[in-house]
Structure formats: C-alpha cells, structure tokens
Amino acid sequence: AQKITQTQPGMFVQEKEAVTLDCTYDTSDPSYGLFWYKQPSSGEMIFLIYQGSYDQQNATEGRYSLNFQKARKSANLVISASQLGDSAMYFCAMREGKAGGTSYGKLTFGQGTILTVHP
Amino acid sequence: EAQVTQNPRYLITVTGKKLTVTCSQNMNHEYMSWYRQDPGLGLRQIYYSMNVEVTDKGDVPEGYKVSRKEKRNFPLILESPSPNQTSLYFCASSLFGGTNTEAFFGQGTRLTVV
C-alpha cells in the first residue's frame, strides 16, 4: 500500500498567489514525522518544513506552512505569495518507526509534484 | 559548513564494471542512508546505517553494497552495474533515525549504465 500519496503530478500558479500541494499518508505508528522537500532543476534536495505527529499546531516556516489534518491523514504544503524561484519538484515524506524496528529512520517519499510558477 | 558530500556528481559506465559512489558528512551524524530517485516513484531507500559497522537493507537493496567503517563515510558500491541501476542517487544523513530528525542530502549522483 502506498504510504505517501501526492495526487497532483503537476501544478501551476500565478506569481504572488498562494498554492496548496496535497499529501496524504498512511501509518499505524502513533509517532511519526512529516517532511516536505524541494528539488529544483539543479537536483539537490532542500528541506522546507517538518510536522510531528504530536504537534498541536500547524508548522510554519516563512512562506511555507503545513496544513496538518491528523484525522484525515493529510499534510498539505501551502506556499504563500509564490515566487518564480518556487518552480521545482516538491516531495512529501514521512519518517516512522521506533528504534530497532525494520523501518527505523527510513524516509518514505511520495511521487512528487512539479510546481510551475507563471509570471 | 555542515554538509553531505557525494562524488562523483555524474557518472557514465558500462555494464558489469564495478563502481563506488562516495558519501561523507561532517556533522557527526549517526544515521546515514542511500536513496535512488526514479521518475514517478519518488525516492526509495537502498541501504541505511544506524552507526559504525551497523548497516541494513532498505526497500531496494538488490545489486548494491555498503560499508560503514567510519562515522563520516558511507560509500555505495555497485559490484556489477546493470542498465536498470541507471538512476539519480542521494546520500542522506541525520543526527539519529528518530521521527523528528531532519535528513540532510548530498548533491546527488546521476548514474548512467550502458
């Protein structure tokens, strides 16, 4: 079963507008972490934002915020005031498992969403 | 500067010719791992290491080997590369493997096996 699902292969947004990138996840672990990474065309992976499963508030980092809905198992990334430099591939990822478990430390990634920002 | 360094960035090789992709981190991280990225599949874990001399298979370990003799280094070895190992490879490290620890990625190695 797919553990991380990103249903939007591609998204388009006008410069200065906000955009939401969807991510749903599946886990039976009560403790997990959710991450968003940005991959520009140059290829490197850039960490954007983190949300812990026990965090009461949605995470925010500058123009990035995470809309965390635990009951729906969704962790959507919201980018406000889009800029041309936001054009990139975006990955949602989850870290679960306790020390000693077979999945300890593993990041499970979604398929990614390509975001294009139009001027 | 805190970083994960992979080499080489680009590599074209022939089927069956052994190769090693190096990975080094300067953050004293315990947990290191290798991922491959393929279109439509995201990144998948190949191998990981919780500490020196402790390594284990990830989701797609076939055709790969790793070693962790020193804390900072975690090379990926392809003993007999095949065309289906053509991919973009990333090394990543984090302080621990806990659910709240950020992973730092190397710049990536684009491997083509012909």
Side-chain angles (χ1 to χ4, degrees), chain A residues 31 33 35 37 39 43 45 47 50 91 95-96 102 104-107 109-111, chain B residues 31 35 37 40 42-43 45 50 59 90 94 97-103 105:
Chain A
S31 176
F35 302 81
Y37 285 87
Q39 186 179 46
M45 296 288 285
F47 167 73
Y50 160 81
F91 288 102
R95 215 165 201 174
E96 57 183 334
T102 54
Y104 178 68
K106 181 175 73 175
L107 274 168
F109 285 83
Q111 309 93 316
Chain B
Y31 190 94
Y35 294 85
Q37 181 181 354
L43 282 76
Q45 192 184 56
M50 287 197 283
D59 292 327
F90 286 100
S94 53
T99 59
N100 62 347
T101 49
E102 174 193 344
F105 284 81

PDB file of all heavy atoms in Angstrom, chain A residues 31 33 35 37 39 43 45 47 50 91 95-96 102 104-107 109-111, chain B residues 31 35 37 40 42-43 45 50 59 90 94 97-103 105:
ATOM      1  N   SER A  31       3.639   7.564  16.463  1.00  0.00           N
ATOM      2  CA  SER A  31       4.704   8.556  16.408  1.00  0.00           C
ATOM      3  C   SER A  31       5.314   8.572  15.015  1.00  0.00           C
ATOM      4  O   SER A  31       5.845   7.561  14.550  1.00  0.00           O
ATOM      5  CB  SER A  31       5.781   8.221  17.450  1.00  0.00           C
ATOM      6  OG  SER A  31       6.869   9.111  17.346  1.00  0.00           O
ATOM      7  N   GLY A  33       6.921  11.527  11.759  1.00  0.00           N
ATOM      8  CA  GLY A  33       7.229  12.893  11.355  1.00  0.00           C
ATOM      9  C   GLY A  33       6.952  13.059   9.877  1.00  0.00           C
ATOM     10  O   GLY A  33       7.158  12.131   9.084  1.00  0.00           O
ATOM     11  N   PHE A  35       7.645  15.518   6.478  1.00  0.00           N
ATOM     12  CA  PHE A  35       8.614  16.463   5.946  1.00  0.00           C
ATOM     13  C   PHE A  35       8.220  16.848   4.522  1.00  0.00           C
ATOM     14  O   PHE A  35       7.675  16.035   3.776  1.00  0.00           O
ATOM     15  CB  PHE A  35      10.017  15.842   5.896  1.00  0.00           C
ATOM     16  CG  PHE A  35      10.530  15.350   7.227  1.00  0.00           C
ATOM     17  CD1 PHE A  35      10.134  14.114   7.727  1.00  0.00           C
ATOM     18  CD2 PHE A  35      11.424  16.108   7.958  1.00  0.00           C
ATOM     19  CE1 PHE A  35      10.608  13.651   8.953  1.00  0.00           C
ATOM     20  CE2 PHE A  35      11.909  15.653   9.178  1.00  0.00           C
ATOM     21  CZ  PHE A  35      11.501  14.423   9.672  1.00  0.00           C
ATOM     22  N   TYR A  37      10.198  18.442   1.093  1.00  0.00           N
ATOM     23  CA  TYR A  37      11.470  18.801   0.470  1.00  0.00           C
ATOM     24  C   TYR A  37      11.190  19.422  -0.889  1.00  0.00           C
ATOM     25  O   TYR A  37      10.243  19.047  -1.593  1.00  0.00           O
ATOM     26  CB  TYR A  37      12.364  17.576   0.286  1.00  0.00           C
ATOM     27  CG  TYR A  37      13.002  17.089   1.552  1.00  0.00           C
ATOM     28  CD1 TYR A  37      12.343  16.194   2.390  1.00  0.00           C
ATOM     29  CD2 TYR A  37      14.269  17.519   1.928  1.00  0.00           C
ATOM     30  CE1 TYR A  37      12.931  15.742   3.561  1.00  0.00           C
ATOM     31  CE2 TYR A  37      14.868  17.063   3.096  1.00  0.00           C
ATOM     32  CZ  TYR A  37      14.194  16.184   3.903  1.00  0.00           C
ATOM     33  OH  TYR A  37      14.776  15.750   5.067  1.00  0.00           O
ATOM     34  N   GLN A  39      12.940  20.157  -4.663  1.00  0.00           N
ATOM     35  CA  GLN A  39      14.030  19.758  -5.554  1.00  0.00           C
ATOM     36  C   GLN A  39      14.001  20.643  -6.797  1.00  0.00           C
ATOM     37  O   GLN A  39      13.217  20.423  -7.724  1.00  0.00           O
ATOM     38  CB  GLN A  39      13.906  18.287  -5.957  1.00  0.00           C
ATOM     39  CG  GLN A  39      15.088  17.797  -6.771  1.00  0.00           C
ATOM     40  CD  GLN A  39      14.967  16.322  -7.140  1.00  0.00           C
ATOM     41  OE1 GLN A  39      13.935  15.864  -7.582  1.00  0.00           O
ATOM     42  NE2 GLN A  39      16.054  15.582  -6.951  1.00  0.00           N
ATOM     43  N   GLY A  43      18.692  19.718  -9.000  1.00  0.00           N
ATOM     44  CA  GLY A  43      18.699  18.361  -8.472  1.00  0.00           C
ATOM     45  C   GLY A  43      18.843  18.188  -6.979  1.00  0.00           C
ATOM     46  O   GLY A  43      18.519  17.122  -6.467  1.00  0.00           O
ATOM     47  N   MET A  45      18.228  18.304  -2.905  1.00  0.00           N
ATOM     48  CA  MET A  45      17.041  18.181  -2.052  1.00  0.00           C
ATOM     49  C   MET A  45      17.164  19.208  -0.933  1.00  0.00           C
ATOM     50  O   MET A  45      18.098  19.171  -0.139  1.00  0.00           O
ATOM     51  CB  MET A  45      16.958  16.771  -1.460  1.00  0.00           C
ATOM     52  CG  MET A  45      16.758  15.684  -2.490  1.00  0.00           C
ATOM     53  SD  MET A  45      15.113  15.699  -3.185  1.00  0.00           S
ATOM     54  CE  MET A  45      14.168  15.005  -1.835  1.00  0.00           C
ATOM     55  N   PHE A  47      15.379  20.853   2.397  1.00  0.00           N
ATOM     56  CA  PHE A  47      14.366  20.691   3.449  1.00  0.00           C
ATOM     57  C   PHE A  47      13.575  21.985   3.602  1.00  0.00           C
ATOM     58  O   PHE A  47      14.145  23.076   3.666  1.00  0.00           O
ATOM     59  CB  PHE A  47      15.052  20.336   4.766  1.00  0.00           C
ATOM     60  CG  PHE A  47      14.160  20.457   5.964  1.00  0.00           C
ATOM     61  CD1 PHE A  47      13.166  19.528   6.204  1.00  0.00           C
ATOM     62  CD2 PHE A  47      14.316  21.514   6.852  1.00  0.00           C
ATOM     63  CE1 PHE A  47      12.344  19.647   7.304  1.00  0.00           C
ATOM     64  CE2 PHE A  47      13.502  21.636   7.953  1.00  0.00           C
ATOM     65  CZ  PHE A  47      12.515  20.707   8.189  1.00  0.00           C
ATOM     66  N   TYR A  50       8.802  20.736   8.702  1.00  0.00           N
ATOM     67  CA  TYR A  50       8.584  19.488   9.443  1.00  0.00           C
ATOM     68  C   TYR A  50       7.349  19.622  10.333  1.00  0.00           C
ATOM     69  O   TYR A  50       7.104  20.678  10.913  1.00  0.00           O
ATOM     70  CB  TYR A  50       9.808  19.179  10.307  1.00  0.00           C
ATOM     71  CG  TYR A  50       9.528  18.228  11.449  1.00  0.00           C
ATOM     72  CD1 TYR A  50       9.473  16.862  11.224  1.00  0.00           C
ATOM     73  CD2 TYR A  50       9.294  18.713  12.730  1.00  0.00           C
ATOM     74  CE1 TYR A  50       9.201  15.990  12.265  1.00  0.00           C
ATOM     75  CE2 TYR A  50       9.025  17.849  13.776  1.00  0.00           C
ATOM     76  CZ  TYR A  50       8.980  16.495  13.541  1.00  0.00           C
ATOM     77  OH  TYR A  50       8.707  15.633  14.571  1.00  0.00           O
ATOM     78  N   PHE A  91       8.488  17.209  -2.745  1.00  0.00           N
ATOM     79  CA  PHE A  91       8.248  15.870  -2.210  1.00  0.00           C
ATOM     80  C   PHE A  91       7.747  15.953  -0.775  1.00  0.00           C
ATOM     81  O   PHE A  91       8.307  16.689   0.055  1.00  0.00           O
ATOM     82  CB  PHE A  91       9.540  15.045  -2.211  1.00  0.00           C
ATOM     83  CG  PHE A  91       9.987  14.607  -3.567  1.00  0.00           C
ATOM     84  CD1 PHE A  91      11.016  15.267  -4.209  1.00  0.00           C
ATOM     85  CD2 PHE A  91       9.393  13.519  -4.189  1.00  0.00           C
ATOM     86  CE1 PHE A  91      11.443  14.852  -5.460  1.00  0.00           C
ATOM     87  CE2 PHE A  91       9.808  13.098  -5.441  1.00  0.00           C
ATOM     88  CZ  PHE A  91      10.842  13.769  -6.078  1.00  0.00           C
ATOM     89  N   ARG A  95       8.636   9.915   8.203  1.00  0.00           N
ATOM     90  CA  ARG A  95       9.564   9.097   8.980  1.00  0.00           C
ATOM     91  C   ARG A  95       8.762   8.475  10.109  1.00  0.00           C
ATOM     92  O   ARG A  95       8.078   9.181  10.849  1.00  0.00           O
ATOM     93  CB  ARG A  95      10.684   9.967   9.548  1.00  0.00           C
ATOM     94  CG  ARG A  95      12.003   9.260   9.603  1.00  0.00           C
ATOM     95  CD  ARG A  95      13.146  10.222   9.819  1.00  0.00           C
ATOM     96  NE  ARG A  95      14.380   9.616   9.390  1.00  0.00           N
ATOM     97  CZ  ARG A  95      15.535  10.242   9.350  1.00  0.00           C
ATOM     98  NH1 ARG A  95      15.617  11.508   9.698  1.00  0.00           N
ATOM     99  NH2 ARG A  95      16.616   9.608   8.955  1.00  0.00           N
ATOM    100  N   GLU A  96       8.797   7.164  10.238  1.00  0.00           N
ATOM    101  CA  GLU A  96       8.037   6.469  11.271  1.00  0.00           C
ATOM    102  C   GLU A  96       8.918   5.404  11.893  1.00  0.00           C
ATOM    103  O   GLU A  96      10.056   5.207  11.514  1.00  0.00           O
ATOM    104  CB  GLU A  96       6.782   5.837  10.668  1.00  0.00           C
ATOM    105  CG  GLU A  96       7.076   4.895   9.532  1.00  0.00           C
ATOM    106  CD  GLU A  96       5.852   4.313   8.858  1.00  0.00           C
ATOM    107  OE1 GLU A  96       4.791   4.201   9.491  1.00  0.00           O
ATOM    108  OE2 GLU A  96       5.966   3.958   7.681  1.00  0.00           O
ATOM    109  N   THR A 102      12.250  -2.384  11.734  1.00  0.00           N
ATOM    110  CA  THR A 102      12.829  -2.520  10.402  1.00  0.00           C
ATOM    111  C   THR A 102      12.727  -1.235   9.594  1.00  0.00           C
ATOM    112  O   THR A 102      13.458  -1.048   8.638  1.00  0.00           O
ATOM    113  CB  THR A 102      12.136  -3.644   9.615  1.00  0.00           C
ATOM    114  OG1 THR A 102      10.727  -3.385   9.608  1.00  0.00           O
ATOM    115  CG2 THR A 102      12.385  -4.996  10.264  1.00  0.00           C
ATOM    116  N   TYR A 104      13.068   1.797  10.948  1.00  0.00           N
ATOM    117  CA  TYR A 104      13.653   2.882  11.736  1.00  0.00           C
ATOM    118  C   TYR A 104      14.474   3.806  10.862  1.00  0.00           C
ATOM    119  O   TYR A 104      15.383   3.379  10.167  1.00  0.00           O
ATOM    120  CB  TYR A 104      14.527   2.311  12.851  1.00  0.00           C
ATOM    121  CG  TYR A 104      15.216   3.371  13.677  1.00  0.00           C
ATOM    122  CD1 TYR A 104      14.486   4.203  14.510  1.00  0.00           C
ATOM    123  CD2 TYR A 104      16.596   3.557  13.613  1.00  0.00           C
ATOM    124  CE1 TYR A 104      15.108   5.174  15.270  1.00  0.00           C
ATOM    125  CE2 TYR A 104      17.219   4.522  14.358  1.00  0.00           C
ATOM    126  CZ  TYR A 104      16.479   5.336  15.190  1.00  0.00           C
ATOM    127  OH  TYR A 104      17.097   6.294  15.936  1.00  0.00           O
ATOM    128  N   GLY A 105      14.133   5.086  10.920  1.00  0.00           N
ATOM    129  CA  GLY A 105      14.908   6.095  10.232  1.00  0.00           C
ATOM    130  C   GLY A 105      14.581   6.281   8.767  1.00  0.00           C
ATOM    131  O   GLY A 105      14.989   7.274   8.168  1.00  0.00           O
ATOM    132  N   LYS A 106      13.852   5.361   8.182  1.00  0.00           N
ATOM    133  CA  LYS A 106      13.610   5.445   6.745  1.00  0.00           C
ATOM    134  C   LYS A 106      12.650   6.581   6.441  1.00  0.00           C
ATOM    135  O   LYS A 106      11.615   6.730   7.094  1.00  0.00           O
ATOM    136  CB  LYS A 106      13.021   4.137   6.224  1.00  0.00           C
ATOM    137  CG  LYS A 106      12.756   4.159   4.716  1.00  0.00           C
ATOM    138  CD  LYS A 106      12.296   2.807   4.204  1.00  0.00           C
ATOM    139  CE  LYS A 106      10.884   2.505   4.622  1.00  0.00           C
ATOM    140  NZ  LYS A 106      10.415   1.230   4.014  1.00  0.00           N
ATOM    141  N   LEU A 107      13.006   7.366   5.431  1.00  0.00           N
ATOM    142  CA  LEU A 107      12.092   8.358   4.892  1.00  0.00           C
ATOM    143  C   LEU A 107      11.332   7.709   3.740  1.00  0.00           C
ATOM    144  O   LEU A 107      11.958   7.226   2.796  1.00  0.00           O
ATOM    145  CB  LEU A 107      12.858   9.575   4.381  1.00  0.00           C
ATOM    146  CG  LEU A 107      13.196  10.673   5.373  1.00  0.00           C
ATOM    147  CD1 LEU A 107      14.199  11.632   4.769  1.00  0.00           C
ATOM    148  CD2 LEU A 107      11.945  11.421   5.811  1.00  0.00           C
ATOM    149  N   PHE A 109       8.918   8.446   0.670  1.00  0.00           N
ATOM    150  CA  PHE A 109       8.583   9.603  -0.157  1.00  0.00           C
ATOM    151  C   PHE A 109       7.347   9.355  -1.015  1.00  0.00           C
ATOM    152  O   PHE A 109       7.076   8.230  -1.434  1.00  0.00           O
ATOM    153  CB  PHE A 109       9.748   9.940  -1.090  1.00  0.00           C
ATOM    154  CG  PHE A 109      10.906  10.599  -0.412  1.00  0.00           C
ATOM    155  CD1 PHE A 109      11.860   9.848   0.239  1.00  0.00           C
ATOM    156  CD2 PHE A 109      11.039  11.974  -0.433  1.00  0.00           C
ATOM    157  CE1 PHE A 109      12.937  10.454   0.880  1.00  0.00           C
ATOM    158  CE2 PHE A 109      12.108  12.597   0.197  1.00  0.00           C
ATOM    159  CZ  PHE A 109      13.059  11.827   0.854  1.00  0.00           C
ATOM    160  N   GLY A 110       6.645  10.447  -1.314  1.00  0.00           N
ATOM    161  CA  GLY A 110       5.622  10.413  -2.332  1.00  0.00           C
ATOM    162  C   GLY A 110       6.265  10.544  -3.707  1.00  0.00           C
ATOM    163  O   GLY A 110       7.486  10.641  -3.849  1.00  0.00           O
ATOM    164  N   GLN A 111       5.398  10.558  -4.726  1.00  0.00           N
ATOM    165  CA  GLN A 111       5.888  10.581  -6.105  1.00  0.00           C
ATOM    166  C   GLN A 111       6.355  11.966  -6.536  1.00  0.00           C
ATOM    167  O   GLN A 111       7.024  12.125  -7.548  1.00  0.00           O
ATOM    168  CB  GLN A 111       4.793  10.108  -7.059  1.00  0.00           C
ATOM    169  CG  GLN A 111       4.150   8.784  -6.664  1.00  0.00           C
ATOM    170  CD  GLN A 111       2.898   8.996  -5.822  1.00  0.00           C
ATOM    171  OE1 GLN A 111       2.870   9.822  -4.888  1.00  0.00           O
ATOM    172  NE2 GLN A 111       1.857   8.263  -6.132  1.00  0.00           N
TER     173      GLN A 111
ATOM    174  N   TYR B  31      23.115   8.433  11.775  1.00  0.00           N
ATOM    175  CA  TYR B  31      22.289   7.731  10.795  1.00  0.00           C
ATOM    176  C   TYR B  31      22.617   8.216   9.392  1.00  0.00           C
ATOM    177  O   TYR B  31      22.582   9.415   9.112  1.00  0.00           O
ATOM    178  CB  TYR B  31      20.812   7.984  11.102  1.00  0.00           C
ATOM    179  CG  TYR B  31      19.849   7.136  10.304  1.00  0.00           C
ATOM    180  CD1 TYR B  31      19.360   5.933  10.804  1.00  0.00           C
ATOM    181  CD2 TYR B  31      19.410   7.540   9.040  1.00  0.00           C
ATOM    182  CE1 TYR B  31      18.470   5.153  10.079  1.00  0.00           C
ATOM    183  CE2 TYR B  31      18.534   6.769   8.303  1.00  0.00           C
ATOM    184  CZ  TYR B  31      18.060   5.579   8.835  1.00  0.00           C
ATOM    185  OH  TYR B  31      17.188   4.801   8.106  1.00  0.00           O
ATOM    186  N   TYR B  35      19.498   6.592  -1.152  1.00  0.00           N
ATOM    187  CA  TYR B  35      18.226   6.540  -1.864  1.00  0.00           C
ATOM    188  C   TYR B  35      18.500   6.602  -3.359  1.00  0.00           C
ATOM    189  O   TYR B  35      19.494   7.177  -3.800  1.00  0.00           O
ATOM    190  CB  TYR B  35      17.335   7.735  -1.487  1.00  0.00           C
ATOM    191  CG  TYR B  35      16.868   7.741  -0.057  1.00  0.00           C
ATOM    192  CD1 TYR B  35      17.663   8.268   0.955  1.00  0.00           C
ATOM    193  CD2 TYR B  35      15.626   7.212   0.299  1.00  0.00           C
ATOM    194  CE1 TYR B  35      17.228   8.274   2.272  1.00  0.00           C
ATOM    195  CE2 TYR B  35      15.190   7.217   1.610  1.00  0.00           C
ATOM    196  CZ  TYR B  35      16.000   7.748   2.588  1.00  0.00           C
ATOM    197  OH  TYR B  35      15.572   7.749   3.899  1.00  0.00           O
ATOM    198  N   GLN B  37      16.351   7.791  -6.919  1.00  0.00           N
ATOM    199  CA  GLN B  37      15.177   8.513  -7.376  1.00  0.00           C
ATOM    200  C   GLN B  37      14.901   8.159  -8.823  1.00  0.00           C
ATOM    201  O   GLN B  37      15.755   8.312  -9.696  1.00  0.00           O
ATOM    202  CB  GLN B  37      15.384  10.030  -7.272  1.00  0.00           C
ATOM    203  CG  GLN B  37      14.172  10.838  -7.723  1.00  0.00           C
ATOM    204  CD  GLN B  37      14.395  12.328  -7.643  1.00  0.00           C
ATOM    205  OE1 GLN B  37      15.422  12.801  -7.141  1.00  0.00           O
ATOM    206  NE2 GLN B  37      13.438  13.102  -8.115  1.00  0.00           N
ATOM    207  N   GLY B  40       8.335   9.118 -11.259  1.00  0.00           N
ATOM    208  CA  GLY B  40       7.056   8.528 -10.867  1.00  0.00           C
ATOM    209  C   GLY B  40       7.110   7.676  -9.613  1.00  0.00           C
ATOM    210  O   GLY B  40       6.068   7.227  -9.119  1.00  0.00           O
ATOM    211  N   GLY B  42       9.310   8.576  -6.838  1.00  0.00           N
ATOM    212  CA  GLY B  42       9.886   9.303  -5.712  1.00  0.00           C
ATOM    213  C   GLY B  42      11.262   8.751  -5.386  1.00  0.00           C
ATOM    214  O   GLY B  42      11.975   8.230  -6.242  1.00  0.00           O
ATOM    215  N   LEU B  43      11.654   8.863  -4.114  1.00  0.00           N
ATOM    216  CA  LEU B  43      12.932   8.329  -3.649  1.00  0.00           C
ATOM    217  C   LEU B  43      12.667   7.058  -2.854  1.00  0.00           C
ATOM    218  O   LEU B  43      11.745   7.011  -2.039  1.00  0.00           O
ATOM    219  CB  LEU B  43      13.648   9.337  -2.745  1.00  0.00           C
ATOM    220  CG  LEU B  43      14.361  10.498  -3.427  1.00  0.00           C
ATOM    221  CD1 LEU B  43      13.400  11.549  -3.920  1.00  0.00           C
ATOM    222  CD2 LEU B  43      15.377  11.127  -2.469  1.00  0.00           C
ATOM    223  N   GLN B  45      14.588   3.974  -0.451  1.00  0.00           N
ATOM    224  CA  GLN B  45      15.786   3.705   0.333  1.00  0.00           C
ATOM    225  C   GLN B  45      16.465   2.419  -0.134  1.00  0.00           C
ATOM    226  O   GLN B  45      15.824   1.375  -0.270  1.00  0.00           O
ATOM    227  CB  GLN B  45      15.453   3.610   1.816  1.00  0.00           C
ATOM    228  CG  GLN B  45      16.669   3.617   2.722  1.00  0.00           C
ATOM    229  CD  GLN B  45      16.324   3.428   4.180  1.00  0.00           C
ATOM    230  OE1 GLN B  45      15.691   2.451   4.573  1.00  0.00           O
ATOM    231  NE2 GLN B  45      16.719   4.381   5.020  1.00  0.00           N
ATOM    232  N   MET B  50      22.794   2.719  11.036  1.00  0.00           N
ATOM    233  CA  MET B  50      22.459   3.401  12.291  1.00  0.00           C
ATOM    234  C   MET B  50      23.709   3.879  13.024  1.00  0.00           C
ATOM    235  O   MET B  50      23.618   4.759  13.887  1.00  0.00           O
ATOM    236  CB  MET B  50      21.636   2.481  13.189  1.00  0.00           C
ATOM    237  CG  MET B  50      20.221   2.307  12.691  1.00  0.00           C
ATOM    238  SD  MET B  50      19.119   1.658  13.955  1.00  0.00           S
ATOM    239  CE  MET B  50      19.610  -0.054  13.939  1.00  0.00           C
ATOM    240  N   ASP B  59      14.520  -0.689   1.024  1.00  0.00           N
ATOM    241  CA  ASP B  59      13.463  -1.268   0.194  1.00  0.00           C
ATOM    242  C   ASP B  59      13.975  -1.871  -1.121  1.00  0.00           C
ATOM    243  O   ASP B  59      13.356  -2.780  -1.660  1.00  0.00           O
ATOM    244  CB  ASP B  59      12.424  -0.196  -0.137  1.00  0.00           C
ATOM    245  CG  ASP B  59      11.658   0.244   1.092  1.00  0.00           C
ATOM    246  OD1 ASP B  59      11.443  -0.598   1.986  1.00  0.00           O
ATOM    247  OD2 ASP B  59      11.276   1.427   1.167  1.00  0.00           O
ATOM    248  N   PHE B  90      21.009   9.548  -4.062  1.00  0.00           N
ATOM    249  CA  PHE B  90      21.241  10.507  -2.990  1.00  0.00           C
ATOM    250  C   PHE B  90      21.725   9.803  -1.743  1.00  0.00           C
ATOM    251  O   PHE B  90      21.179   8.779  -1.337  1.00  0.00           O
ATOM    252  CB  PHE B  90      19.950  11.259  -2.630  1.00  0.00           C
ATOM    253  CG  PHE B  90      19.534  12.281  -3.644  1.00  0.00           C
ATOM    254  CD1 PHE B  90      18.551  11.987  -4.568  1.00  0.00           C
ATOM    255  CD2 PHE B  90      20.124  13.533  -3.656  1.00  0.00           C
ATOM    256  CE1 PHE B  90      18.163  12.930  -5.499  1.00  0.00           C
ATOM    257  CE2 PHE B  90      19.737  14.483  -4.586  1.00  0.00           C
ATOM    258  CZ  PHE B  90      18.762  14.180  -5.513  1.00  0.00           C
ATOM    259  N   SER B  94      21.390  12.027   9.102  1.00  0.00           N
ATOM    260  CA  SER B  94      20.670  12.740  10.151  1.00  0.00           C
ATOM    261  C   SER B  94      21.283  12.366  11.494  1.00  0.00           C
ATOM    262  O   SER B  94      21.934  11.319  11.617  1.00  0.00           O
ATOM    263  CB  SER B  94      19.174  12.433  10.118  1.00  0.00           C
ATOM    264  OG  SER B  94      18.945  11.053  10.130  1.00  0.00           O
ATOM    265  N   GLY B  97      17.981   8.386  13.721  1.00  0.00           N
ATOM    266  CA  GLY B  97      16.906   7.983  12.812  1.00  0.00           C
ATOM    267  C   GLY B  97      15.534   8.278  13.364  1.00  0.00           C
ATOM    268  O   GLY B  97      14.546   7.772  12.844  1.00  0.00           O
ATOM    269  N   GLY B  98      15.453   9.098  14.405  1.00  0.00           N
ATOM    270  CA  GLY B  98      14.176   9.383  15.032  1.00  0.00           C
ATOM    271  C   GLY B  98      13.216  10.106  14.106  1.00  0.00           C
ATOM    272  O   GLY B  98      13.624  10.737  13.125  1.00  0.00           O
ATOM    273  N   THR B  99      11.937  10.046  14.468  1.00  0.00           N
ATOM    274  CA  THR B  99      10.900  10.587  13.589  1.00  0.00           C
ATOM    275  C   THR B  99      10.966  12.102  13.465  1.00  0.00           C
ATOM    276  O   THR B  99      10.393  12.668  12.541  1.00  0.00           O
ATOM    277  CB  THR B  99       9.509  10.195  14.100  1.00  0.00           C
ATOM    278  OG1 THR B  99       9.348  10.703  15.433  1.00  0.00           O
ATOM    279  CG2 THR B  99       9.326   8.690  14.114  1.00  0.00           C
ATOM    280  N   ASN B 100      11.653  12.773  14.382  1.00  0.00           N
ATOM    281  CA  ASN B 100      11.674  14.234  14.337  1.00  0.00           C
ATOM    282  C   ASN B 100      13.011  14.801  13.881  1.00  0.00           C
ATOM    283  O   ASN B 100      13.262  15.992  14.044  1.00  0.00           O
ATOM    284  CB  ASN B 100      11.335  14.808  15.719  1.00  0.00           C
ATOM    285  CG  ASN B 100      12.354  14.390  16.766  1.00  0.00           C
ATOM    286  OD1 ASN B 100      13.160  13.503  16.530  1.00  0.00           O
ATOM    287  ND2 ASN B 100      12.319  15.035  17.917  1.00  0.00           N
ATOM    288  N   THR B 101      13.859  13.966  13.316  1.00  0.00           N
ATOM    289  CA  THR B 101      15.166  14.457  12.906  1.00  0.00           C
ATOM    290  C   THR B 101      15.204  14.691  11.405  1.00  0.00           C
ATOM    291  O   THR B 101      14.858  13.822  10.612  1.00  0.00           O
ATOM    292  CB  THR B 101      16.284  13.479  13.303  1.00  0.00           C
ATOM    293  OG1 THR B 101      15.930  12.160  12.886  1.00  0.00           O
ATOM    294  CG2 THR B 101      16.511  13.493  14.788  1.00  0.00           C
ATOM    295  N   GLU B 102      15.690  15.870  11.049  1.00  0.00           N
ATOM    296  CA  GLU B 102      15.778  16.256   9.643  1.00  0.00           C
ATOM    297  C   GLU B 102      16.893  15.495   8.958  1.00  0.00           C
ATOM    298  O   GLU B 102      17.958  15.275   9.527  1.00  0.00           O
ATOM    299  CB  GLU B 102      16.059  17.761   9.568  1.00  0.00           C
ATOM    300  CG  GLU B 102      16.320  18.307   8.178  1.00  0.00           C
ATOM    301  CD  GLU B 102      16.887  19.714   8.231  1.00  0.00           C
ATOM    302  OE1 GLU B 102      16.794  20.347   9.299  1.00  0.00           O
ATOM    303  OE2 GLU B 102      17.435  20.155   7.209  1.00  0.00           O
ATOM    304  N   ALA B 103      16.668  15.103   7.727  1.00  0.00           N
ATOM    305  CA  ALA B 103      17.698  14.457   6.921  1.00  0.00           C
ATOM    306  C   ALA B 103      18.348  15.493   6.008  1.00  0.00           C
ATOM    307  O   ALA B 103      17.660  16.294   5.375  1.00  0.00           O
ATOM    308  CB  ALA B 103      17.105  13.320   6.100  1.00  0.00           C
ATOM    309  N   PHE B 105      20.713  16.031   2.708  1.00  0.00           N
ATOM    310  CA  PHE B 105      21.013  15.285   1.496  1.00  0.00           C
ATOM    311  C   PHE B 105      22.276  15.794   0.806  1.00  0.00           C
ATOM    312  O   PHE B 105      22.577  16.999   0.835  1.00  0.00           O
ATOM    313  CB  PHE B 105      19.848  15.372   0.514  1.00  0.00           C
ATOM    314  CG  PHE B 105      18.679  14.504   0.890  1.00  0.00           C
ATOM    315  CD1 PHE B 105      17.772  14.917   1.843  1.00  0.00           C
ATOM    316  CD2 PHE B 105      18.502  13.268   0.296  1.00  0.00           C
ATOM    317  CE1 PHE B 105      16.703  14.116   2.207  1.00  0.00           C
ATOM    318  CE2 PHE B 105      17.427  12.460   0.643  1.00  0.00           C
ATOM    319  CZ  PHE B 105      16.532  12.876   1.604  1.00  0.00           C
TER     320      PHE B 105
END
